[in-house]
Amino acid sequence: MTIPRLNTRNGLLGVGTAAVVVGLLAGCSAPRVIGEPYAGAGRGTLATDPSDTGPTVGWVREGERFFVTTYGSSSCPIAPTRLESNDDGPMVTMTRTGGDACTADSGPASYALDLPERFHGRERVTVSLRFEDDGRVVRRELRRSDDAG
């Protein structure tokens, strides 16, 4: 009776290849987006001038829920991935999603987020948007409608 010999070189090569593939796939995982896509951003919040594509914020439900709109590639939108609290309002980390192959178009992407409860009664809330790709922080103010004057 002949016992087949295990070719350890080929076995190790297969294990090594599998480890590399798993490592690459783990590195390609998409960031976890928080909030929900929001289609309700309307007049005064979406840019009509192509040069005015800065981020905007607005109320979904005044004092409770807000939205964030950013502009960029429609296949790799910039989305909220983390929500923390500062003294004057929420700090939202914004991360480009979609991978490395992005289209060269530019369009809005809006997401609705819950306002942390500690800010519910405030007349004005400052939303800080921290962009993960370059570290910049943009601040936008939310005001209650009875404080708009």
Side-chain angles (χ1 to χ4, degrees):
M1 173 189 230
T2 305
I3 298 176
R5 288 182 26 174
L6 179 61
N7 185 338
T8 55
R9 191 179 103 204
N10 287 344
L12 290 176
L13 181 61
V15 169
T17 302
V20 168
V21 169
V22 168
L24 288 173
L25 290 175
C28 294
S29 64
R32 187 177 82 69
V33 174
I34 60 172
E36 296 82 39
Y38 180 64
R43 186 181 178 136
T45 59
L46 296 180
T48 54
D49 177 356
S51 64
D52 181 22
T53 56
T56 59
V57 298
W59 290 117
V60 173
R61 273 191 319 274
E62 189 171 292
E64 296 177 19
R65 193 159 170 78
F66 67 101
F67 68 86
V68 174
T69 299
T70 60
Y71 291 81
S73 170
S74 63
S75 62
C76 299
I78 298 169
T81 55
R82 187 173 183 176
L83 178 66
E84 301 171 84
S85 290
N86 284 336
D87 290 337
D88 56 353
M91 167 74 83
V92 182
T93 300
M94 304 298 293
T95 306
R96 185 175 60 85
T97 63
D100 294 326
C102 303
T103 55
D105 62 343
S106 182
S110 298
Y111 295 87
L113 300 161
D114 290 326
L115 185 68
E117 281 191 43
R118 67 183 274 204
F119 304 114
H120 281 197
R122 295 196 182 178
E123 294 297 315
R124 297 176 188 205
V125 176
T126 300
V127 178
S128 300
L129 305 171
R130 187 182 72 78
F131 290 85
E132 196 171 60
D133 61 343
D134 61 8
R136 72 190 157 103
V137 175
V138 176
R139 289 177 177 76
R140 298 289 187 255
E141 191 170 83
L142 290 169
R143 293 182 181 190
R144 299 189 53 143
S145 59
D146 56 346
D147 187 42

